[in-house]
Every structure is written in structure tokens, then in C-alpha cells.
Amino acid sequence: MSDHDPEPSKPGLTYAQAGVSIASGDSLVERIKPAAAATARPGVMGGLGGFGALFDLAQAGFRDPVLVTGTDGVGTKLKIAIETGELGGVGVDLVAMCVNDLLCHGADPLIFLDYFATGVLRPDAAAQVIEGVARGCAEAGAALVGGETAEMPGLYHGDDFDLAGFCVGAVEREGLLPRPEIPVGAALIGLESDGAHSNGFSLIRRIVADQGLAWDAPAPFAPETRLGAALLRPTRIYVKPVLAALREPSLGASILGLAHITGGGLKENPGRALPPSRACEIDLGAWTRPPLFRWLAEAGGVAEEEMTKAFNCGLGMVLIVAKEAAPACAAFLTARGERAHMIGEVAPRGDDAPATRLLGAPA
């Protein structure tokens, strides 16, 4: 080669060589399109693939709507899903955490978007998660209209991934919750949870590690079930039965507020649905605390005060209902598959007093 001949060109780097596979992302989108399409509802305009999602509130039947939005994640419950390979349920968790929050304002969840972030996209694993999101959307009556799959090598390692969800709902202005006036004596109805839902899992994982338990060992609180599977039971979605109660002419106006029992547990959440002059008084003996929570308290030496701040303790949603309508409301929800308990009442709140007072001992 002469001094003037150009050197052979080196092959250029590709995005795939840097760790990001556009082809894998395209494959995932094609796989999840049927699951997303199955969640369609009146008001949705178009499908997956656009730069944004469109929704027609008038087509959905709203006259004077207030938009309600929410975002949430699944927390370190994801670590158990990743370590066990049981990925389908955390998609349901993601939806539940968002739509149950919107429900507390009386809102019908309309559209949902997910964000899935990982180091290396594994389409089969991602599809399991997002198909779970679609199942949750179908259960809540929300349309899965889009999302983002982010492949970020170097930021996430191994099989690790993270999830976030975003939901938009609407409620007619006159139906917005909580109601401005909530009287002393209003009843509290607790709806049972399906396990720990998606809160307190950093503490749960610490207790499991301290006990030296493997995820495939029998669960100490449910020996017929593997520990990992028992803890991964998806968060319960309360949307359809509670919205049915809100739309029932004989009951709707009697439902004064709702509280989703998430981070902060029973200690912190019910009071969020009350005006500053009111407090919730909850009788801890009004329902039977599930074996999971009794085991966590005993195995971890967790004090009762901490239990009620870290966990839902068996109740995932609390309704505040006019006293005279409470029995009918509880019966209505029970007939639609909920496990409802009369757990207390609204009381006056003094200066510097807590918004939730927990009375008695757990059953």
C-alpha cells in the first residue's frame, strides 16, 4: 500500500453493540398490541404507535368532568418477582396502585400508560409484565393506550427492571370525593385486602432474609403455598364494585369519602379523606387480621404501631359512609365480591390530635 492509499475503514458501531436493541423493542410492541387492544373502552381514539394517546370525554359520556390523574410504582416487591421469575402479577399491582388512588376521588379510570425500564430488554419477560398491566386495566375498566420501554445498559444490571404507571380518570363535578361535609358519626367500612398489596416490602424482605427463608420454601403463614408466590399475590382492584355503589341511586350520595390503604398503612391513610376537624376511630378488633400480618409481627418483632404504619393489616380500602346507609352499602359491596367490615366511625378531632385513632387490639 502506498503512502497515499487510504486506510481501510473500520466498521462503525451500532446501537445494538452499545447494548440497546431497537428490534427487541419493536418485537415487544407487536406482542403486546392484542393485550392492549383488549382493554379498549368508549372514548379511546386510535391505538398504540402514535406520539400521544387521544381520548374523547364526551364520547365516554361525561357532561361536566373533572380530570383526576395519578402515578405510582410497585416498589421493592419487584425484587421478589425478579428473583422468582414470577412476573405477571406485578403488572396488575402497577395498575391497582394507580386506579385505586383515583377511585378515592370518585373517578372512573379511563386511560393508563406504563413505563418499563431495564438494562437489557428481554421481550418475553417484559411481555409477561405488560400483559399483566393489560389484565389490571381490563379489571379496572381502563384502556391501556401507550407507554415507554426504556433499555438503559449500565443503569440497570442483570434481570433488574423498574415499573411506573400513569392513569387519567374523570368524575362528574357533583360526584367529586371526598364530600365537603362529613358529619361526626359517619360509619367506616373496611374492604379486605389481598395480602400486603404493594407496600412494606422492604421490611418484608428484611424479615424473610433474617429468617433465612427461600422464596420457594413453604410460606410460614400459608404452608400450602410457596413463600414467593404468597407474597406476590396482586393488589386488589376495587374500582368496579365501588363505582357501582357510587352510581347506585339509593347509595351514591351516602358515600362521603374513600381512602386507599397504601404507604403509611392504616395509621396514616384514612384521615386523608377527612376535613381537619374530623378524625377516624378504627376498632382493630372489627376484622380478623390475616395470618401474613400476624407472622410478620411475630417473626420480625414488629411493634403494633409500626405494623399499622407499614402495612394495610388486612384492609385495602376504607369507605366513609353516612351512618344510616352503611349497612346497605356494606351489603351491596359484599354481593359484588368484596369482604366488607364495619370498622368504626368518624369522630371530632381536637387540636394536635391525630387524624386516625386506632382502638383496641387486633383480632
Side-chain angles (χ1 to χ4, degrees):
M1 182 167 56
S2 73
D3 291 341
H4 303 290
D5 290 335
E7 293 185 10
S9 61
K10 296 180 180 179
L13 284 173
T14 66
Y15 210 3
Q17 288 171 321
V20 177
S21 172
I22 293 175
S24 292
D26 291 343
S27 171
L28 175 62
V29 170
E30 289 304 312
R31 175 165 169 178
I32 65 174
K33 274 184 177 180
T39 69
R41 58 163 294 157
V44 173
M45 301 170 63
L48 297 183
F51 289 99
L54 308 179
F55 193 89
D56 184 340
L57 285 167
Q59 191 181 82
F62 287 91
R63 297 173 289 101
D64 184 21
V66 174
L67 290 180
V68 184
T69 63
T71 182
D72 213 330
V74 181
T76 63
K77 188 175 186 178
L78 290 179
K79 289 293 289 182
I80 304 176
I82 292 165
E83 290 170 9
T84 61
E86 299 182 24
L87 303 176
V90 292
V92 178
D93 285 308
L94 184 67
V95 175
M97 294 300 288
C98 295
V99 299
N100 287 341
D101 277 356
L102 266 61
L103 180 63
C104 292
H105 294 287
D108 184 353
L110 303 174
I111 56 177
F112 191 89
L113 299 97
D114 67 273
Y115 174 80
F116 179 97
T118 188
V120 177
L121 182 60
R122 294 171 172 80
D124 284 347
Q128 288 181 58
V129 173
I130 298 171
E131 286 163 359
V133 172
R135 288 197 303 276
C137 285
E139 188 175 342
L144 178 57
V145 294
E148 168 70 3
T149 302
E151 193 172 10
M152 296 186 283
L155 190 58
Y156 297 89
H157 302 283
D159 293 330
D160 284 350
F161 65 88
D162 199 8
L163 285 176
F166 311 87
C167 193
V168 179
V171 56
E172 296 290 2
R173 193 175 303 272
E174 68 269 18
L176 192 62
L177 296 178
R179 310 286 185 192
E181 298 295 330
I182 297 181
V184 169
L188 305 177
I189 300 173
L191 304 183
E192 288 188 18
S193 65
D194 286 341
H197 284 182
S198 298
N199 297 102
F201 273 85
S202 293
L203 178 54
I204 291 172
R205 289 169 49 246
R206 172 64 183 271
I207 292 169
V208 169
D210 287 351
Q211 293 291 304
L213 295 170
W215 298 127
D216 59 358
F221 50 89
E224 71 285 356
T225 307
R226 287 176 291 108
L227 177 59
L231 292 174
L232 286 171
R233 192 175 179 191
T235 304
R236 191 171 183 84
I237 294 175
Y238 299 96
V239 170
K240 288 184 178 179
V242 173
L243 281 181
L246 286 167
R247 292 166 178 165
E248 175 65 27
S250 63
L251 291 177
S254 301
I255 299 174
L256 309 175
L258 296 163
H260 185 199
I261 311 304
T262 56
L266 272 177
K267 184 71 175 176
E268 303 293 338
N269 285 290
R272 295 169 63 187
L274 294 174
S277 62
R278 300 287 186 260
C280 288
E281 289 189 344
I282 295 177
D283 175 9
L284 291 172
W287 72 100
T288 300
R289 187 168 292 186
L292 164 63
F293 300 105
R294 297 200 297 270
W295 176 75
L296 289 169
E298 181 178 349
V302 184
E304 178 63 14
E305 174 81 6
E306 188 68 17
M307 287 294 298
T308 58
K309 286 194 296 186
F311 302 116
N312 64 55
C313 294
L315 299 180
M317 184 71 71
V318 172
L319 290 79
I320 304 167
V321 182
K323 185 176 181 178
E324 64 277 7
C329 186
F332 183 94
L333 292 165
T334 298
R336 282 154 183 79
E338 297 302 322
R339 303 176 297 274
H341 303 273
M342 308 297 294
I343 62 168
E345 65 180 15
V346 173
R349 182 183 181 186
D351 293 341
D352 300 321
T356 303
R357 296 194 282 270
L358 302 175
L359 309 175

